[in-house]
């Protein structure tokens, strides 16, 4: 799953030398960032990337419909023609019901399962056992889709979680639990933007399947997303745009 996100992020910068050796799906990926850090835009870009590969439909789960399609996500193709299916479970119970009934859904199996706003579902019942149950259902659903896709094909899983600058004990516990089952992670850390822009540093840890890579992501005032390699990726460790302010360990 880290490879799909890597392709999205390297679209505006230099290609990574080990890209062709990465698996198509890979381990589940956790996308983390503070409010407004661009998690939904990157999830949507990953959906477009995966659907555009022609490997099968993409299932995008979120609590409420997107108000607008994120701009600058790498393609001008119609999401509906790319077989991106949106579903909007409004509560944790409805999300459980949807995942438990995934084996009954008609049509081809998704090649990618995306969940946006995991923190909103966890907030309904913050007990660790409920979080563990939801994680298990997500992993089992992706495994079931992989089985339906057939030999040599896997359904990727990517989940977005909103983090807080000052996390409480429950948030720390949830994050530790998630990191155990999502070995690949991408942290979105706010950084000093230019005038009229919102900037952040994207740090991708692919879960042991490749090196850590970083990008500079900028959202212009019109919402368009621009991506470039982080300065240190060019071999100049002293040329960073600023220190990170996120919660990355």
């Amino acid at each position: 799953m880290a490879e799909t996100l890597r392709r999205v992020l390297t679209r505006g910068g230099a290609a990574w030398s080990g890209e062709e050796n990465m698996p198509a799906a890979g381990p589940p990926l956790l996308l983390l960032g503070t409010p407004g850090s661009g998690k939904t835009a990157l999830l949507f870009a990953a959906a477009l990337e995966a659907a555009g590969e022609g490997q099968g439909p993409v299932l995008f789960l979120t609590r409420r419909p997107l108000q607008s399609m994120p701009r600058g996500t790498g393609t001008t193709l119609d999401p509906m023609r790319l077989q991106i299916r949106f579903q909007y479970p409004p509560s944790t119970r409805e999300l459980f019901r949807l995942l438990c009934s995934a084996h009954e859904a008609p049509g081809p199996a998704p090649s990618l399962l995306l969940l946006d706003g995991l923190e909103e579902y966890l907030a309904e019942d913050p007990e660790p056992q409920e979080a563990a149950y939801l994680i298990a259902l997500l992993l089992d659903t992706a495994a079931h889709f992989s089985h339906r896709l057939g030999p040599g094909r896997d359904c990727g899983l990517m989940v977005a979680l909103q983090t807080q600058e000052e996390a409480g004990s429950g948030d720390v516990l949830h994050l530790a639990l998630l990191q155990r089952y999502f070995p690949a992670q991408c942290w979105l850390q706010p950084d000093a933007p230019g005038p009229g822009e919102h900037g952040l540093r994207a740090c991708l840890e692919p879960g042991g399947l490749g090196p850590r890579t970083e990008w500079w992501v900028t959202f212009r005032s019109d919402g368009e997303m621009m991506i470039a390699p982080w300065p240190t990726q060019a071999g100049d460790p002293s040329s960073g745009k600023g220190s990170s302010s996120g919660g990355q360990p």
Side-chain angles (χ1 to χ4, degrees), residues 9-204:
L9 291 167
T10 54
R11 188 177 297 279
W16 179 58
S17 59
E19 181 174 326
E20 294 180 358
N21 297 322
M22 293 288 287
L29 184 139
L30 185 62
L31 183 62
L32 304 114
T34 54
S37 59
K39 298 182 297 298
T40 299
L42 281 178
L43 276 185
F44 185 70
L48 290 173
E49 179 74 22
E53 294 170 353
Q55 297 298 315
V58 173
L59 180 56
F60 196 120
L61 305 179
T62 181
R63 199 178 184 99
R64 59 188 65 85
L66 301 181
Q67 296 301 310
S68 61
M69 294 300 177
R71 296 189 59 196
T73 47
T75 183
T76 57
L77 297 176
D78 184 351
M80 298 307 172
R81 295 182 62 185
L82 288 173
Q83 294 185 296
I84 300 176
R85 188 167 77 249
F86 292 90
Q87 290 192 291
Y88 309 104
S91 65
T92 305
R93 176 174 294 183
E94 289 302 316
L95 179 59
F96 285 167
R97 183 176 302 171
L98 187 154
L99 294 173
C100 289
S101 61
H103 65 284
E104 301 173 352
S111 62
L112 177 60
L113 173 60
L114 301 169
L115 175 64
D116 194 18
L118 174 61
E119 74 285 343
E120 295 189 46
Y121 294 106
L122 295 179
E124 291 186 22
D125 192 338
E127 292 299 321
Q129 58 268 27
E130 291 298 315
Y133 180 56
L134 177 53
I135 294 169
L137 277 179
L138 287 167
L139 294 171
D140 286 349
T141 302
H144 170 74
F145 289 151
S146 296
H147 177 74
R148 286 178 54 189
L149 286 170
R153 299 182 61 192
D154 292 311
C155 174
L157 174 62
M158 185 186 299
V159 173
L161 176 73
Q162 179 175 293
T163 58
Q164 302 295 334
E165 293 185 2
E166 297 183 3
S169 58
D171 296 327
V172 172
L173 187 59
H174 284 157
L175 182 56
L177 181 64
L178 286 162
Q179 289 177 321
R180 182 184 307 172
Y181 295 100
F182 288 78
Q185 295 160 31
C186 183
W187 292 79
L188 305 177
Q189 305 172 339
D191 208 275
E197 297 178 341
H198 165 60
L200 57 93
R201 183 178 186 171
C203 307
L204 178 62

